[in-house]
Amino acid sequence: MKRTIVFGSVGVMALLVAAAALASDKTKSEQAFDRLASLQGEWQGIADGVNTTLIYTLTANGSTLMEQCRPEKGHEMITMFTVDGDHLIATHYCSARNQPQMATAAISDAQKPLAFSLVRVTGLKSPDDFHNTGLTVIQEDNDHLTQEWLYDAKGKSGKNVFHFTRVRPRAS
């Protein structure tokens, strides 16, 4: 009996060590994506004076994080986040009917805010049309999120800052 308990305990410890080793084998970009994926769920905030809900969902076998931005007034938008080598990519499907694709620099610290810069934009009819040129995602803690969106429109650049709070399920 003691032998079974000892072997069982050793087996459990081996599994825990193996799981920790697999987790430490992740690249910095995979670790940053995992941190971003921790946003899964619903968030509330005010964007441009409008009550806005963000819903984060993992999709594509856990390889893509989808953000649905649902303003109370206006059109829904989607942003898809993925790992690409040593950096992350964000493709934003904007209500302005264009699709800026942004990427981070090589991730060196998975715990820092993620700063995405414009790589290219599709669907833009004119360079003067409104389009996003950057996004910084700041995860302050498990319940507070800030997004800083950079944009260009009619030859001028600007920045919008939005704050969101996680919506916790109500106890039944």
Side-chain angles (χ1 to χ4, degrees), residues 9 19 24 29 82 101 132 148 169:
S9 297
S24 67
S29 57
T82 58
Q101 186 179 58
N132 289 295
E148 298 176 352

Side-chain angles (χ1 to χ4, degrees), residues 42-47 50-54 56 67 69-70 138 140-141 143-147 149 161-167:
E42 185 174 329
W43 297 74
Q44 290 288 324
I46 297 177
V50 176
N51 289 331
T52 301
T53 301
L54 298 180
Y56 288 95
E67 175 197 276
C69 178
R70 297 178 172 175
I138 304 163
E140 292 133 35
D141 56 38
D143 294 321
H144 298 93
L145 169 68
T146 298
Q147 292 184 342
W149 286 90
V161 179
F162 307 122
H163 303 280
F164 296 94
T165 302
R166 186 183 297 274
V167 176

Side-chain angles (χ1 to χ4, degrees), residues 95-130:
S95 61
R97 296 185 175 201
N98 58 53
Q99 305 80 37
Q101 186 179 58
M102 301 166 281
T104 65
I107 304 290
S108 60
D109 184 346
Q111 298 305 310
K112 287 190 175 180
L114 295 170
F116 295 85
S117 299
L118 186 65
V119 174
R120 69 186 189 125
V121 60
T122 58
L124 198 61
K125 293 179 182 170
S126 161
D128 283 343
D129 287 347
F130 177 92

Side-chain angles (χ1 to χ4, degrees), residues 27-95:
T27 65
K28 297 283 187 197
S29 57
E30 290 168 331
Q31 292 171 26
F33 180 81
D34 287 349
R35 185 165 175 254
L36 196 60
S38 74
L39 296 174
Q40 288 181 88
E42 185 174 329
W43 297 74
Q44 290 288 324
I46 297 177
D48 290 330
V50 176
N51 289 331
T52 301
T53 301
L54 298 180
I55 299 172
Y56 288 95
T57 309
L58 269 179
T59 188
N61 194 26
S63 67
T64 304
L65 181 68
M66 178 173 64
E67 175 197 276
Q68 297 173 60
C69 178
R70 297 178 172 175
E72 193 173 72
K73 298 175 185 173
H75 301 283
E76 181 175 325
M77 294 175 276
I78 304 279
T79 305
M80 304 296 270
F81 298 93
T82 58
V83 175
D84 184 30
D86 62 356
H87 60 276
L88 300 183
I89 292 176
T91 303
H92 179 67
Y93 298 87
C94 190
S95 61

